[in-house]
Amino acid sequence: TPESAERTAVPGVATGLAVTGVGGDVLFVEASLADPETGSTGVALTGQLGDVMKESAHIALSYLRSHGAELELPVGDLKDRGVHVHVPAGAVPKDGPSAGVTMTTALASLLSGRPVRSDVAMTGEVSLTGRVLPIGGVKQKLLAAHRAGITTVLLPKRNEPDLDDVPASVREQLEVHLVGDVREVLDIALQPVTAPVLSA
Amino acid sequence: TPESAERTAVPGVATGLAVTGVGGDVLFVEASLADPETGSTGVALTGQLGDVMKESAHIALSYLRSHGAELELPVGDLKDRGVHVHVPAGAVPKDGPSAGVTMTTALASLLSGRPVRSDVAMTGEVSLTGRVLPIGGVKQKLLAAHRAGITTVLLPKRNEPDLDDVPASVREQLEVHLVGDVREVLDIALQPVTAPVLSA
Amino acid sequence: TPESAERTAVPGVATGLAVTGVGGDVLFVEASLADPETGSTGVALTGQLGDVMKESAHIALSYLRSHGAELELPVGDLKDRGVHVHVPAGAVPKDGPSAGVTMTTALASLLSGRPVRSDVAMTGEVSLTGRVLPIGGVKQKLLAAHRAGITTVLLPKRNEPDLDDVPASVREQLEVHLVGDVREVLDIALQPVTAPVLSA
Amino acid sequence: TPESAERTAVPGVATGLAVTGVGGDVLFVEASLADPETGSTGVALTGQLGDVMKESAHIALSYLRSHGAELELPVGDLKDRGVHVHVPAGAVPKDGPSAGVTMTTALASLLSGRPVRSDVAMTGEVSLTGRVLPIGGVKQKLLAAHRAGITTVLLPKRNEPDLDDVPASVREQLEVHLVGDVREVLDIALQPVTAPVLSA
Amino acid sequence: TPESAERTAVPGVATGLAVTGVGGDVLFVEASLADPETGSTGVALTGQLGDVMKESAHIALSYLRSHGAELELPVGDLKDRGVHVHVPAGAVPKDGPSAGVTMTTALASLLSGRPVRSDVAMTGEVSLTGRVLPIGGVKQKLLAAHRAGITTVLLPKRNEPDLDDVPASVREQLEVHLVGDVREVLDIALQPVTAPVLSA
Amino acid sequence: TPESAERTAVPGVATGLAVTGVGGDVLFVEASLADPETGSTGVALTGQLGDVMKESAHIALSYLRSHGAELELPVGDLKDRGVHVHVPAGAVPKDGPSAGVTMTTALASLLSGRPVRSDVAMTGEVSLTGRVLPIGGVKQKLLAAHRAGITTVLLPKRNEPDLDDVPASVREQLEVHLVGDVREVLDIALQPVTAPVLSA
Ligand SMILES: [Ca+2]
Ligand SMILES: [Ca+2]
Ligand SMILES: [Ca+2]
Ligand SMILES: [Ca+2]
Ligand SMILES: [Ca+2]
Ligand SMILES: [Ca+2]
Ligand SMILES: [Ca+2]
Ligand SMILES: [Ca+2]
Ligand SMILES: [Ca+2]
Ligand SMILES: [Ca+2]
Ligand SMILES: [Ca+2]
Ligand SMILES: [Ca+2]
């Protein structure tokens, strides 16, 4: 789809799925790392995120900080470079744990320099050990993904029964991967490094 | 049980028992340590924990920080590695002191690299000197443990009278250990190191 | 216009457009960097800014911290010099994400020593990757810009349909640039360095 | 008494007296110092302590920090080792200044390695210069001490008149020391070091 | 006047003008710098200042931190010396942006060692670039200045129209300077250094 | 008087005067400095102090930090030693600016090792430049001082008219000093160093 293609063209951006008051919607999680020469450190979280969603970001970061070597990510970059996770639109309040996989993917993309596939959207809570836990709103989220031109959706394994609720016409046009561990998410969603990354 | 087996397969996860509005439930306490090269330090507590439960985590950490040498745990690891304790599900508020032993066990498992036995669940407040203090909801907690396929339960010694309230059919299928000191908990619950730990 | 000319005469000041309860208005975003010998560090945000507007300032800063080298800005200056972003008038509460481009421009002007064109006003949310996202109040903002003697307005590309609402008499006297990336904003709004900058 | 004997078996625990809504009660103040190799510093206060009781802990610490050399306590240990003061039970809110002497004694016991006598309970506000100031609830507190098998009680000198209110049968079985300075408390309550202290 | 003469006898004190519920009043802004050997750093603001007035103090400081070299002020003194800005009386809440010029002047006086003229009072918001922005209550402020024996008043240029409201009898006895930049304020209000400054 | 004699026997304690709901009262301001080997730094304020009273303590400290050399006080001691100011009784809320002179005197006594005269009580707001500003409740405060056996009272010069309200019988038995600068307070209230100070 044009929008997710534009938004995920650079490493550090992943496409998530959310439930709003009036249906589902696509959202983009953006992550950045400050250049070390700016002296910036710490973690900034913006986008009017609620408490549970802020905790999701901290879980995603701790997962990468403790599993980064195993995932072959240069987690040493987190030492001297401030991390910022933002979820536009800036004025819309957001909450809930289901952006956990999306935040983990955006951060892993940023660290690895591997862009996220623009045809992929995802939803799922992440635990500190990387397990993907079930979320709500599967039907609305898949309808929203389809509307936005997404063709591949990553869903928690324990949400499999909820797929029955999705209209067959939509279900048929989506490739759905049921995942139990965030490593499966990263395997599917991250593309190879395609070009030298001059700045992040 | 399949779930606690999967969840406790890695060091740093312990199975606890909680009382909810409608009975008892099994919960998992997850702990992680950041790789030192990430520069992360400090303590993060997530899972929508209330004040008393956050204090339990600090008591567990202080117990290990002051008794670690005696317990032969490499507490020096706490110096340069950020600690994160998380209790899924991320959106469910939790409170109370009775996860004290579970938090202590998850952290001791993480530091030692010894996984927690997947057939064991536990409940109990911990004091700063390691004493196990009594808790509420023994009946509901044991019923929940049994439902979840747990076969061994660790309970505070001072809760012994509450065992009378547990149906005999359930009581007979559970091995209950009454404990007065958290060292007894660690002796029973932690398994030997079985494999090289590549990442924590 | 006399006022924006006076206000933007030094690097670090950009002209924005805001919606008030009774129409639109021009506002000025001012940025300063402490002299390194003062030992001041960190970020100060003043002008009775609401939560969303404070987040906009942090997004602007993170954008420059991660893209500064690419934009050929001396972002190392941010290391040892406290940043202050202020939006007069000091007693008037302000909020919303639409000053994002103005804040980014004021900071880029300050770092580069290039003053902002005094005939240019701008409005637009900025994302962490530099995308310019749509805002509200286009009609009121353009009327206010025109009233204030502004001749060039920078607007988010996705706000193009809202230009239909602007009276033709005003629309004809304004040069409107529709922008999708904050790099286009900086290309249009920043003037060459014209004189040695003795202090910032 | 069995309970205070068990609780005060290690240095760092002192027996206090409190007033609850329905009479008096014995409470235990526990103190710990982190092993220096954990890198932990600062002060943690837990047990759902109210503002006044937290201030009491800070007064106790400041008293020891400024009078430690005179008292021959190794206050240098406070430099590189995080202090934690906890008052079980973890879920019961507690407040008031009357645990001041108990907190000072627990901390002095911890620093000196001298256990607190298990037959002694105490109550009294402490000032920054070590003066013991009067408290309320003398009758209820002495009845509670007696019920708990305590045989020696330390009371502020200015509470002497309140002893008239204690039933003679109880009063006769308690050895009451009236104290004006916290040094008298430490002289009476701390035992000699009896064994090598392996961990604190 | 006797009071402003006594109050402004030392560098670091400037006379401001305020509006109260029942008219205008003279107020004194006091600034101090800690001796470097005290190890004190940071900024303290006291006098029951409201949010807007605290922001004014931070704007004044940032203005000096970024323009200090140009103004020939020894801003390096701010590095190792804690700054304190106080506005007596200590128990009276104060707010608003109009003390901006007074705070800037008190701090510039302190840094330069040049006392503020005791016959001068001032009012005006300051922006981060040093522009003097208009304020309210001109009539009440000038009446209060006159009552207090002040003979010279500094007013924002954009408040010129408000001078029409001041009774001619008062207006004639006051020398009013209309200022657009805080540099004009400092030029008029600061006296030469008259004696060695032993302490600040 | 016996009480103020006992309380002010060590350097760091000064006798103040307060107004309560039911008349006046004597209060004691206690100050302590941590031994440098404890590693404690910073400022602690206890005694359930309100916002204005906390600000008074910060003003007293800043006054000493900036005027300490002139007053021949060893302000370098403030660098590596935590300061604690406490006002018993611990559970009684206190507020207002009139303990400013008492706090300044207690801290100057502590730094100099000179005890405060036990026959002297004082009241007065202090400004950052050391001026003594007027306070309320003169009549009640002098009656309380007299009741407590105090024979010398220090009062702000601008409170002179309020002495008319004090009964002649009390007024005659008190030596009242009217002071305009806190240096006069220190000259009158501090005694010579009489003995080696082993601990502070
Ligand atoms: Ca279904
Ligand atoms: Ca870069
Ligand atoms: Ca029972
Ligand atoms: Ca690792
Ligand atoms: Ca339209
Ligand atoms: Ca400069
Ligand atoms: Ca009595
Ligand atoms: Ca140890
Ligand atoms: Ca007019
Ligand atoms: Ca000095
Ligand atoms: Ca009178
Ligand atoms: Ca000492």
Short mmCIF file of all heavy atoms in Angstrom, two decimals, chain E residues 131-178:
data_model
loop_
_atom_site.label_atom_id
_atom_site.label_comp_id
_atom_site.label_asym_id
_atom_site.label_seq_id
_atom_site.Cartn_x
_atom_site.Cartn_y
_atom_site.Cartn_z
N ARG E 131 13.64 40.22 23.58
CA ARG E 131 12.62 41.22 23.25
C ARG E 131 11.76 41.47 24.50
O ARG E 131 11.45 40.54 25.25
CB ARG E 131 11.73 40.75 22.10
CG ARG E 131 12.52 40.61 20.80
CD ARG E 131 11.62 40.28 19.63
NE ARG E 131 10.65 41.32 19.37
CZ ARG E 131 10.90 42.42 18.68
NH1 ARG E 131 12.09 42.63 18.17
NH2 ARG E 131 9.96 43.32 18.50
N VAL E 132 11.36 42.74 24.68
CA VAL E 132 10.50 43.09 25.81
C VAL E 132 9.06 43.15 25.31
O VAL E 132 8.72 43.97 24.45
CB VAL E 132 10.93 44.44 26.43
CG1 VAL E 132 10.01 44.79 27.59
CG2 VAL E 132 12.38 44.36 26.91
N LEU E 133 8.22 42.26 25.84
CA LEU E 133 6.84 42.14 25.36
C LEU E 133 5.89 42.84 26.34
O LEU E 133 6.20 42.98 27.53
CB LEU E 133 6.49 40.66 25.22
CG LEU E 133 7.43 39.86 24.29
CD1 LEU E 133 7.01 38.39 24.25
CD2 LEU E 133 7.42 40.44 22.88
N PRO E 134 4.73 43.27 25.83
CA PRO E 134 3.83 44.10 26.65
C PRO E 134 3.22 43.36 27.82
O PRO E 134 3.06 42.14 27.79
CB PRO E 134 2.75 44.53 25.66
CG PRO E 134 2.76 43.50 24.60
CD PRO E 134 4.19 43.03 24.48
N ILE E 135 2.83 44.13 28.83
CA ILE E 135 2.25 43.58 30.06
C ILE E 135 0.98 44.35 30.42
O ILE E 135 0.62 45.31 29.75
CB ILE E 135 3.26 43.67 31.21
CG1 ILE E 135 3.91 45.06 31.27
CG2 ILE E 135 4.37 42.64 31.04
CD1 ILE E 135 3.15 46.17 31.81
N GLY E 136 0.29 43.95 31.46
CA GLY E 136 -0.93 44.63 31.88
C GLY E 136 -0.71 45.48 33.12
O GLY E 136 0.37 45.47 33.71
N GLY E 137 -1.73 46.26 33.47
CA GLY E 137 -1.70 46.99 34.75
C GLY E 137 -0.78 48.18 34.78
O GLY E 137 -0.27 48.55 35.85
N VAL E 138 -0.55 48.82 33.61
CA VAL E 138 0.40 49.93 33.56
C VAL E 138 0.01 51.03 34.56
O VAL E 138 0.86 51.54 35.31
CB VAL E 138 0.49 50.49 32.13
CG1 VAL E 138 1.24 51.81 32.10
CG2 VAL E 138 1.17 49.46 31.23
N LYS E 139 -1.28 51.38 34.56
CA LYS E 139 -1.71 52.49 35.44
C LYS E 139 -1.41 52.17 36.92
O LYS E 139 -0.77 52.95 37.62
CB LYS E 139 -3.21 52.72 35.25
CG LYS E 139 -3.78 53.85 36.10
CD LYS E 139 -5.29 53.96 35.92
CE LYS E 139 -5.89 54.92 36.94
NZ LYS E 139 -7.38 54.87 36.87
N GLN E 140 -1.87 51.00 37.38
CA GLN E 140 -1.65 50.66 38.79
C GLN E 140 -0.15 50.58 39.12
O GLN E 140 0.28 50.95 40.20
CB GLN E 140 -2.27 49.29 39.12
CG GLN E 140 -3.77 49.24 39.01
CD GLN E 140 -4.21 48.63 37.69
OE1 GLN E 140 -3.74 49.07 36.61
NE2 GLN E 140 -5.10 47.65 37.75
N LYS E 141 0.63 50.06 38.18
CA LYS E 141 2.07 49.90 38.44
C LYS E 141 2.76 51.26 38.56
O LYS E 141 3.60 51.45 39.44
CB LYS E 141 2.71 49.07 37.33
CG LYS E 141 2.34 47.57 37.43
CD LYS E 141 2.85 46.78 36.23
CE LYS E 141 2.61 45.28 36.43
NZ LYS E 141 3.00 44.50 35.23
N LEU E 142 2.37 52.22 37.68
CA LEU E 142 3.02 53.52 37.76
C LEU E 142 2.59 54.28 39.02
O LEU E 142 3.41 54.97 39.64
CB LEU E 142 2.76 54.34 36.49
CG LEU E 142 3.90 54.18 35.46
CD1 LEU E 142 3.97 52.77 34.93
CD2 LEU E 142 3.80 55.20 34.35
N LEU E 143 1.33 54.12 39.40
CA LEU E 143 0.89 54.74 40.66
C LEU E 143 1.68 54.16 41.83
O LEU E 143 2.11 54.90 42.73
CB LEU E 143 -0.62 54.52 40.85
CG LEU E 143 -1.54 55.28 39.88
CD1 LEU E 143 -3.00 54.87 40.09
CD2 LEU E 143 -1.38 56.79 40.06
N ALA E 144 1.89 52.84 41.82
CA ALA E 144 2.63 52.20 42.92
C ALA E 144 4.08 52.65 42.93
O ALA E 144 4.66 52.90 44.00
CB ALA E 144 2.55 50.68 42.78
N ALA E 145 4.69 52.77 41.75
CA ALA E 145 6.08 53.22 41.67
C ALA E 145 6.20 54.63 42.26
O ALA E 145 7.10 54.93 43.06
CB ALA E 145 6.55 53.21 40.21
N HIS E 146 5.27 55.49 41.87
CA HIS E 146 5.27 56.87 42.36
C HIS E 146 5.11 56.92 43.88
O HIS E 146 5.83 57.64 44.58
CB HIS E 146 4.14 57.64 41.66
CG HIS E 146 4.05 59.07 42.06
ND1 HIS E 146 3.04 59.55 42.85
CD2 HIS E 146 4.86 60.13 41.78
CE1 HIS E 146 3.22 60.85 43.04
NE2 HIS E 146 4.32 61.23 42.39
N ARG E 147 4.15 56.15 44.38
CA ARG E 147 3.93 56.07 45.83
C ARG E 147 5.19 55.64 46.58
O ARG E 147 5.45 56.07 47.70
CB ARG E 147 2.84 55.02 46.11
CG ARG E 147 1.51 55.57 46.51
CD ARG E 147 0.56 54.54 47.08
NE ARG E 147 0.69 53.18 46.63
CZ ARG E 147 0.02 52.62 45.61
NH1 ARG E 147 -0.85 53.34 44.92
NH2 ARG E 147 0.22 51.37 45.28
N ALA E 148 5.97 54.75 45.94
CA ALA E 148 7.17 54.21 46.60
C ALA E 148 8.38 55.11 46.41
O ALA E 148 9.48 54.75 46.84
CB ALA E 148 7.47 52.82 46.06
N GLY E 149 8.18 56.28 45.76
CA GLY E 149 9.28 57.22 45.61
C GLY E 149 10.21 56.94 44.44
O GLY E 149 11.27 57.53 44.32
N ILE E 150 9.80 55.99 43.58
CA ILE E 150 10.57 55.70 42.37
C ILE E 150 10.45 56.89 41.41
O ILE E 150 9.38 57.48 41.29
CB ILE E 150 10.00 54.43 41.69
CG1 ILE E 150 10.23 53.21 42.58
CG2 ILE E 150 10.58 54.23 40.30
CD1 ILE E 150 11.67 52.79 42.74
N THR E 151 11.55 57.24 40.71
CA THR E 151 11.47 58.37 39.77
C THR E 151 11.66 57.96 38.32
O THR E 151 11.38 58.74 37.42
CB THR E 151 12.55 59.42 40.14
OG1 THR E 151 13.81 58.76 40.19
CG2 THR E 151 12.23 60.04 41.50
N THR E 152 12.14 56.75 38.08
CA THR E 152 12.37 56.29 36.71
C THR E 152 11.72 54.93 36.52
O THR E 152 11.96 54.02 37.32
CB THR E 152 13.89 56.18 36.41
OG1 THR E 152 14.49 57.45 36.61
CG2 THR E 152 14.12 55.72 34.98
N VAL E 153 10.90 54.80 35.46
CA VAL E 153 10.22 53.54 35.22
C VAL E 153 10.55 53.04 33.82
O VAL E 153 10.50 53.81 32.86
CB VAL E 153 8.69 53.68 35.39
CG1 VAL E 153 7.98 52.42 34.93
CG2 VAL E 153 8.35 53.98 36.84
N LEU E 154 10.87 51.73 33.70
CA LEU E 154 11.12 51.12 32.39
C LEU E 154 9.89 50.30 32.01
O LEU E 154 9.46 49.44 32.77
CB LEU E 154 12.36 50.24 32.45
CG LEU E 154 13.62 50.88 33.05
CD1 LEU E 154 14.83 49.98 32.85
CD2 LEU E 154 13.88 52.25 32.45
N LEU E 155 9.37 50.58 30.79
CA LEU E 155 8.11 50.00 30.34
C LEU E 155 8.29 49.44 28.92
O LEU E 155 9.05 49.99 28.14
CB LEU E 155 7.08 51.14 30.29
CG LEU E 155 5.63 50.89 30.70
CD1 LEU E 155 5.53 50.39 32.13
CD2 LEU E 155 4.84 52.18 30.54
N PRO E 156 7.57 48.35 28.58
CA PRO E 156 7.67 47.83 27.20
C PRO E 156 7.16 48.86 26.19
O PRO E 156 6.13 49.50 26.42
CB PRO E 156 6.75 46.61 27.21
CG PRO E 156 6.67 46.20 28.66
CD PRO E 156 6.74 47.47 29.43
N LYS E 157 7.88 48.99 25.08
CA LYS E 157 7.51 49.93 24.02
C LYS E 157 6.05 49.75 23.60
O LYS E 157 5.33 50.73 23.38
CB LYS E 157 8.43 49.70 22.81
CG LYS E 157 8.47 50.82 21.82
CD LYS E 157 9.50 50.53 20.71
CE LYS E 157 10.93 50.74 21.23
NZ LYS E 157 11.96 50.44 20.19
N ARG E 158 5.60 48.48 23.52
CA ARG E 158 4.24 48.23 23.04
C ARG E 158 3.18 48.61 24.08
O ARG E 158 1.98 48.53 23.79
CB ARG E 158 4.10 46.77 22.61
CG ARG E 158 4.69 46.56 21.20
CD ARG E 158 4.95 45.12 20.86
NE ARG E 158 3.75 44.30 20.91
CZ ARG E 158 3.76 42.97 20.75
NH1 ARG E 158 4.92 42.35 20.52
NH2 ARG E 158 2.65 42.29 20.81
N ASN E 159 3.62 49.03 25.28
CA ASN E 159 2.65 49.53 26.27
C ASN E 159 2.50 51.05 26.21
O ASN E 159 1.79 51.63 27.05
CB ASN E 159 3.07 49.14 27.69
CG ASN E 159 2.71 47.70 28.04
OD1 ASN E 159 3.57 46.85 28.20
ND2 ASN E 159 1.41 47.42 28.11
N GLU E 160 3.12 51.69 25.21
CA GLU E 160 3.06 53.16 25.15
C GLU E 160 1.62 53.69 25.23
O GLU E 160 1.35 54.63 25.98
CB GLU E 160 3.75 53.66 23.88
CG GLU E 160 3.78 55.18 23.80
CD GLU E 160 4.76 55.70 22.74
OE1 GLU E 160 5.17 54.90 21.85
OE2 GLU E 160 5.12 56.87 22.83
N PRO E 161 0.68 53.07 24.49
CA PRO E 161 -0.70 53.62 24.54
C PRO E 161 -1.29 53.64 25.94
O PRO E 161 -2.14 54.48 26.25
CB PRO E 161 -1.49 52.66 23.63
CG PRO E 161 -0.49 52.01 22.75
CD PRO E 161 0.77 51.94 23.54
N ASP E 162 -0.85 52.73 26.81
CA ASP E 162 -1.44 52.65 28.15
C ASP E 162 -1.03 53.83 29.03
O ASP E 162 -1.62 54.04 30.09
CB ASP E 162 -1.02 51.35 28.83
CG ASP E 162 -1.49 50.14 28.04
OD1 ASP E 162 -2.64 50.16 27.56
OD2 ASP E 162 -0.71 49.18 27.89
N LEU E 163 -0.03 54.60 28.59
CA LEU E 163 0.40 55.74 29.41
C LEU E 163 -0.69 56.81 29.47
O LEU E 163 -0.72 57.62 30.41
CB LEU E 163 1.69 56.33 28.85
CG LEU E 163 2.94 55.48 29.09
CD1 LEU E 163 4.15 56.06 28.37
CD2 LEU E 163 3.23 55.39 30.59
N ASP E 164 -1.59 56.80 28.47
CA ASP E 164 -2.70 57.76 28.47
C ASP E 164 -3.56 57.62 29.73
O ASP E 164 -4.21 58.59 30.16
CB ASP E 164 -3.63 57.52 27.27
CG ASP E 164 -2.90 57.61 25.95
OD1 ASP E 164 -1.75 58.10 25.94
OD2 ASP E 164 -3.48 57.19 24.93
N ASP E 165 -3.57 56.41 30.29
CA ASP E 165 -4.46 56.15 31.43
C ASP E 165 -3.87 56.63 32.76
O ASP E 165 -4.57 56.62 33.77
CB ASP E 165 -4.72 54.64 31.54
CG ASP E 165 -5.26 54.07 30.24
OD1 ASP E 165 -5.96 54.81 29.51
OD2 ASP E 165 -4.97 52.90 29.95
N VAL E 166 -2.59 57.00 32.74
CA VAL E 166 -1.95 57.40 34.00
C VAL E 166 -2.25 58.87 34.27
O VAL E 166 -2.08 59.71 33.37
CB VAL E 166 -0.42 57.18 33.90
CG1 VAL E 166 0.25 57.53 35.23
CG2 VAL E 166 -0.12 55.75 33.49
N PRO E 167 -2.71 59.24 35.48
CA PRO E 167 -3.00 60.64 35.80
C PRO E 167 -1.78 61.53 35.50
O PRO E 167 -0.64 61.17 35.83
CB PRO E 167 -3.27 60.61 37.31
CG PRO E 167 -3.69 59.21 37.60
CD PRO E 167 -3.01 58.34 36.59
N ALA E 168 -2.04 62.69 34.92
CA ALA E 168 -0.96 63.58 34.49
C ALA E 168 -0.06 63.96 35.65
O ALA E 168 1.17 64.05 35.50
CB ALA E 168 -1.55 64.83 33.83
N SER E 169 -0.64 64.16 36.84
CA SER E 169 0.17 64.58 38.00
C SER E 169 1.25 63.55 38.32
O SER E 169 2.36 63.90 38.72
CB SER E 169 -0.74 64.77 39.21
OG SER E 169 -1.38 63.53 39.52
N VAL E 170 0.91 62.27 38.14
CA VAL E 170 1.90 61.22 38.39
C VAL E 170 2.85 61.10 37.22
O VAL E 170 4.08 61.04 37.38
CB VAL E 170 1.19 59.87 38.64
CG1 VAL E 170 2.17 58.71 38.60
CG2 VAL E 170 0.44 59.91 39.97
N ARG E 171 2.25 61.09 36.03
CA ARG E 171 3.05 60.92 34.81
C ARG E 171 4.18 61.94 34.72
O ARG E 171 5.29 61.61 34.29
CB ARG E 171 2.08 61.04 33.61
CG ARG E 171 2.65 60.89 32.23
CD ARG E 171 3.15 59.48 31.96
NE ARG E 171 3.90 59.41 30.69
CZ ARG E 171 5.17 59.74 30.60
NH1 ARG E 171 5.83 60.18 31.66
NH2 ARG E 171 5.81 59.64 29.44
N GLU E 172 3.90 63.16 35.13
CA GLU E 172 4.89 64.23 35.02
C GLU E 172 6.09 64.02 35.96
O GLU E 172 7.17 64.50 35.69
CB GLU E 172 4.24 65.58 35.38
CG GLU E 172 3.46 66.17 34.23
CD GLU E 172 2.45 67.20 34.72
OE1 GLU E 172 2.61 67.66 35.89
OE2 GLU E 172 1.50 67.52 33.98
N GLN E 173 5.84 63.34 37.06
CA GLN E 173 6.93 63.16 38.02
C GLN E 173 7.74 61.89 37.78
O GLN E 173 8.66 61.60 38.54
CB GLN E 173 6.36 63.12 39.45
CG GLN E 173 5.68 64.43 39.83
CD GLN E 173 5.10 64.38 41.22
OE1 GLN E 173 5.80 64.11 42.18
NE2 GLN E 173 3.81 64.62 41.34
N LEU E 174 7.37 61.14 36.74
CA LEU E 174 8.10 59.90 36.45
C LEU E 174 8.82 60.04 35.11
O LEU E 174 8.23 60.50 34.13
CB LEU E 174 7.14 58.71 36.36
CG LEU E 174 6.51 58.23 37.67
CD1 LEU E 174 5.47 57.16 37.37
CD2 LEU E 174 7.58 57.68 38.60
N GLU E 175 10.07 59.65 35.07
CA GLU E 175 10.78 59.54 33.81
C GLU E 175 10.51 58.13 33.29
O GLU E 175 10.92 57.15 33.91
CB GLU E 175 12.29 59.76 34.06
CG GLU E 175 13.11 59.72 32.79
CD GLU E 175 14.60 59.91 33.08
OE1 GLU E 175 14.93 60.61 34.08
OE2 GLU E 175 15.41 59.33 32.34
N VAL E 176 9.77 58.03 32.18
CA VAL E 176 9.42 56.71 31.66
C VAL E 176 10.26 56.39 30.42
O VAL E 176 10.29 57.19 29.48
CB VAL E 176 7.92 56.63 31.31
CG1 VAL E 176 7.60 55.30 30.63
CG2 VAL E 176 7.06 56.81 32.56
N HIS E 177 10.95 55.26 30.45
CA HIS E 177 11.68 54.79 29.26
C HIS E 177 10.91 53.65 28.63
O HIS E 177 10.60 52.67 29.29
CB HIS E 177 13.07 54.28 29.64
CG HIS E 177 14.00 55.34 30.14
ND1 HIS E 177 14.88 56.01 29.34
CD2 HIS E 177 14.16 55.86 31.37
CE1 HIS E 177 15.57 56.88 30.05
NE2 HIS E 177 15.15 56.82 31.29
N LEU E 178 10.61 53.80 27.32
CA LEU E 178 9.94 52.71 26.60
C LEU E 178 11.01 51.85 25.94
O LEU E 178 11.81 52.35 25.16
CB LEU E 178 8.98 53.30 25.57
CG LEU E 178 7.81 54.08 26.21
CD1 LEU E 178 7.12 54.95 25.18
CD2 LEU E 178 6.81 53.10 26.84
#
